[in-house]
Each structure stands twice: as C-alpha cells, then as structure tokens.
Amino acid sequence: MAKCRYALGMQDRTIPDEDLSASSAWSDSTAAKHSRLDTSDGDGAWCPAGPVYPNDAEFLEVDLRHLHFLTLVGTQGRHAGGHGKEFARTYRLHYSRDRHHWLAWRDRWGNEVISGNENTNEVVLKDLGPPIIARYVRFYPRADRVMSVCLRVELYGCIWSDGLQSYTAPLGQTMALQPEPVYLNDSTYDGYSVSKLQFGGLGQLTDGVVGLDDFTQTKELRVWPGYDYVGWRNDSFPKGYMEMEFEFDSLRVFTYMMVHCNNMHTRGVSIFRQVDCRFKRSLPTAWEPELVSHVLAVDVKDPSARSVTVPLEGHLGRFLQCHFHFSGTWMLFSEIAFLSDVVDDASVSGTSHWPPMAGPRPSDLEVQGESKSGQPIAKADNSNTSILIGCLVAIILLLLVVIFLILWRQYWKKILGKVSEIPLPLSQLSVHLCEVESPQDLPILEFPFNVRKGRPLLVAVKILRSDATKNARNDFLKEVKIMSRLKDPNIVRLLGVCVRDDPLCMITEYMENGDLNQFLSSHELEDKLGGSTSDAPTISYPTLVHVAAQIASGMKFLASLNFVHRDLATRNCLVGEGFTIKIADFGMSRNLYSGDYYRIQGRAVLPIRWMAWECILMGKFTTASDVWAFGVTLWEVLMLCQEQPYSQLTDEQVIENAGQFFRDQGEQIYLSRPPACPLSLYEVMLRCWVRESKDRPSFQHIHRFLSEDALNMV
C-alpha cells in the first residue's frame, strides 16, 4: 500500500465537475466545482452559504465513480490572489460505499476531527490511518465560532481492485496473557455488531497492515498489543471452524484468496488446517452446492507469520462463504485479499446452477482460456506456474506493505513530535534567576504583593536568544501577550518585558521557597500529636489541603479564560511566605526534572505521567485534561513528593496504560491512595481520571470542595 498514494483527479480535473456537489455555496463562483486543490477558478474555492459553527452541517461531496482505497487527503483555503482569507482549521470526513450508509472516519484512537489549515494558501496533507475504502467522500469543515470558511481539496489513493464491499465475521476475542491481555478485536470495523457478529462493513482485515511474527508486538505507533490481528479461540466454535462471508461490488470470477495468518505455536496460535468456500451470484439465489476445499500442512517448526494462498479455481460469484478450520487453540488473521476479475456478461448473473447449464465446466474453460461468450477467464490456480506466480505476487505485496509501514511509522513519530513539542525549544531560551535590588523604586511595575523596603525581589528572567528562529520569536511574543492577561493571586505574574531590541526577554516573579516539589520533599507529615520522627521540618495535613486549594484556585482562573496549562505538576508551582502557592511554567523545570519527561526522537518532551490518556494518544489538550493533571498533582502533594507517579511503570508502560483507558475494559491502572488521604478526597482524584473528559469535575467544583469540605475531614 506504500504506492497507493496517487492523486485521484481534483487538481488535474480527472474528476469531472458533475461528480462534485455540496450542501450549499455562496454563489456559483464558490460552488463545489471550484473546490479543486491549487486551482483558482471562480472565486477561488468552495464556500458554504452559511457559517459551519455550531452544527458542522455543511459539506463538500466527491463521487469517485468506483470504490477506491484512500490513504491521504489534502486541504487548502481560499486565497483568490490575496483577496480570500477563509480556511478551515479542522474538518471531519464521512464516506460511503453505496451513498445510502454514511460512515464517520475516525483515527485509530476514535478521534473524528482532523487538523486542517493555518493560512489561506498552504496545502496540508493528512495521512488516513486507518485508510478509507469508499466511492463517496464528504468533507465537513469545522469552526470554533461563527465565521466563514472555504475549502479546496484533493484525494489520494488507488482503485480498490479487490472489489470487496464488506465481510461478515464473529467478533474478535481477547487472549488473557501476562502481564497484560492481548486484544484481538477488529477495532476499525465500520459496519454493525449484533450478538457477537460483525456484518456490513470493512475493517482491519482490509487496511493494508500485515501483522508481525509476534502478535503481541504491533507495527502501529501508540496502539495496544494485538492491534494488527483479529483472532478467535477454537472452543468458541463447536463445529471446529470459524465462518466468514464476503460481499463484492459485482459478479466476479475468482482466482485465489490470500489470508495472512499468525503461526506463533508457543502462544497456541496456528494457521488453519483447511478452508472450504462456496459461492453464490446474487443475494436471493442459493449457495452453489459445490465446495472449493484447500487443505494445508500445518508447519509446527516455523513460527513466522505467513500469507496463505487459497486457489478458488475460477468460480463465479458475488458472495463467498468460507469455513476456516482450526488446527490449534487460536486462529489469527491480519489481512484477507482476493484476486478476481469482473464478469461483464449479464447473462450469467441470473442463474443459480453450478456448473452453468450451457457450456463446459470451469475447468474446461480454464484450459481453453476463454468462455463461449468470448469473456476471458483466469486460469485455475492448480499448476506449478500459477502457484509460483501467486508466491511472487505475495512477496511483492509484502515488500510494498513493509515500505508503507516504515513510512507510516515515521509519519506518526513526526506527528507526535509536532503535537507534543513545547512552545519554545529550550535550545533557544535561557532562564536566569535574578534579584531586583530596590523594587519599590520601580513604580512602572505593578506588583501583586508587598515588598519590604530594602529587601531584594527575586525574579525569573526568560531571555530569547538573538539567533532564535522567526517561529520562536512569534511564540515568545504570544506567550508575553498571554501572560500579561494572567492576574490572579495564585498565578505567577509578568512584571516586565523587553521587546523593542534583541534579545527579547520577560521578567516574572519568583518565590523565595522555590518549587513545590523540592519544598514538600524536604518535609515530613506532622503526626496527630504535632510531632515528627526526625529533624526534618514538618507540614500538617490541613496545610497540604490549603496548598492544593490554592492550585485549584489558580487553575479555576485559567479555566475561566479558556487557557490550557498542559504541564501542571508540583515542579511548576512556586512556594512563597506563609505557604503561598503560585502556578508557573518555567522551561528550566524540564532540565531539573528531566526524569519526569518522556523524550520523542531526542527533541520533543512529554510529561506523560501527568497527562490524560487523550493527550498521550491523540494530542488533545483541554481544560478537562488539566483536571486530570491536577488529580496527579494532588496525589503528589499528599505523597509529599516522595514518589514519582506510576513509579512502578516504565514510560512505555505508562503509554500502554493510556491505551487501557481508551479501551475502557477494566484493565487500566490508577495511582494508589496516599497514606494521608481520606477516602472522600481520593474519590475526587479518581473522578479527575475518568475516561470521558465531560465527566471530570470542574476546577470550580474542586476548589470549593478543597476550600470548604476537605478541611472539615481533618
């Protein structure tokens, strides 16, 4: 599938105007026919008549005339020679194979929204993982407020030569392995599920991803073990076989079916020992009585996964039903593909007899090379030559798949890096801790606290290097603008800036007791009698609650401005006199606490132990994900920062645990209740970590609880 990335004809007009339609348009000059990538006909793009916010109901539709395997989409805004200023920052895709049943495309973690354009003219390409098999595609532009949007698009992929429209199969099952189970469900299936049966759709068995020899490992980045395979256990099938049905777009003559299977005997997995297939030519007709059977010699020595070629002997049909007989405890498939040709002769589609009443049997037709009607018939796969050709085709397909997967993996690493990069690379910043000797003599500064005369003021000075990139300068100025709005007793204040000349710098307050993590880790919890077991300074439980309430208060203020912190933790909170807490986010904390960050490709760093599952898997940061991070920060406070969150897990296991939250099958791991934490407060933490972000408490609720209720529990 690595080469299945051809432009399908928006830009070069292979797709005609009549195959483009839309829900509405400003005028004929912004109609659907003007939605072609990198062209400027009419007024430069398709523009819906009204705003897309809040309903996201406007769409642009493309009819590809035939089923296609879509791997990539491109979008562009309206430039119109500098006169257009409309583009869509995000959009959704819907698709259909028959124009009756429309499906919403979702990525491998369930997210429907695709990031779009940041300006009017730049083309943004987005890989589709999983890919789409469809004839009709709709683009739904989105906006976060009432505004005009315009769109130009291109689709990339290739003809879906298999012609497979849907397959029916039993639901994939879960293999209970240690230390974690392996989920062998068809997680991208786009059909229906009823009574442990999936029907009417396509999924992982047609996504072009061939599984590894070890099915507990996965080629896809950030997904769970077993993702590449769909699997079934033999004791769930009393008859000894698993049944699948396949529906195609038209009547076809079939040469072979290729099934990629796992064969890891040490885990009880084997390829099937026999497969029996039968055919029918239309939905109302009966299944042909003759079976095509293929028996395999089960290889117990070689545990490698492999593609098994099943000859289908030139049989005609639009529907196939195949029984795959178990040879071991488990049977695992990762891909199923077919080689077939469309039968154009309508006279053969209405008969339900096998062999055909008029004319020789298929074996005779195969010898002759064509039917009496003159239609070419593929030779049966029962000769050494055909087997050799099949093997060569399989090898070529596997090589293409390997190349595709390598490129796909590199792409997702790049995307994850983009999502998770901090706003300013540390290599372009220095942060210095400084003192202002006589702050009371500087009337232009608005101090949010009292400064004693003659006492220096501790400040942090963040300096942008003079050789910083243009993007870094823009991000720095954006940060200055944001911080100038943040005026709250529990938020570090911006005291001054220098933006006229290089180097650019900003001055923020700093607290004399340093960061909260170091401060708490140097203390012990005061016992109920007010004493301590060592010479270390003590801190009481009510004081810890007071500390947490201040953090919640600061976050409540940020949430009221729709400001997302992204890195809330004790290391990014400062401590002043009287246990005053202020939330900060200094780049220097990433050097001091490098063990708290997970490095991506040696550049981007992520505080994954504090991040909600949707941040790790989808790069989706919201106030609700800050609530998750607050729950972890509250856990740190009550543990007096004596232990790193999830200290028993490696970074990779923390990421896998995020996958468990996504799957929501009861296998996720939570932080344990701190010794000093009442049950009711621990329940607040657990509510911060619920799967659905909408079900997490607000900072307003958390602050009220900590300020009023928690103190009463002491």
Side-chain angles (χ1 to χ4, degrees), residues 517 520-524 635-636 639-644:
N517 188 284
L520 289 179
S521 62
S522 66
H523 284 69
E524 285 188 354
W635 181 89
E636 285 188 281
M639 291 290 291
L640 272 68
C641 299
Q642 299 296 323
E643 184 180 327
Q644 187 186 52

Side-chain angles (χ1 to χ4, degrees), residues 564-588:
V564 180
H565 189 284
R566 293 176 176 239
D567 194 7
L568 179 62
T570 55
R571 62 181 172 271
N572 280 325
C573 297
L574 301 179
V575 186
E577 288 183 325
F579 298 104
T580 301
I581 305 297
K582 299 200 176 190
I583 299 170
D585 182 16
F586 295 108
M588 60 185 174

Side-chain angles (χ1 to χ4, degrees), residues 84-104:
K85 297 181 180 179
E86 299 83 14
F87 54 91
R89 292 187 181 274
T90 58
Y91 60 96
R92 294 179 295 120
L93 288 177
H94 286 192
Y95 64 97
S96 176
R97 291 185 273 274
D98 57 9
R99 212 169 187 273
H100 298 295
H101 181 211
W102 287 92
L103 304 160

Side-chain angles (χ1 to χ4, degrees), residues 156-176:
Y156 302 84
C158 55
I159 286 284
W160 179 236
S161 56
D162 263 31
L164 182 62
Q165 287 196 141
S166 69
Y167 58 78
T168 300
L171 292 176
Q173 298 170 316
T174 301
M175 185 181 295

Side-chain angles (χ1 to χ4, degrees), residues 439-456:
Q440 69 278 2
D441 297 333
L442 301 174
I444 60 171
L445 295 180
E446 299 179 7
F447 293 106
F449 43 78
N450 294 323
V451 179
R452 299 175 189 173
K453 188 173 182 179
R455 181 178 177 181

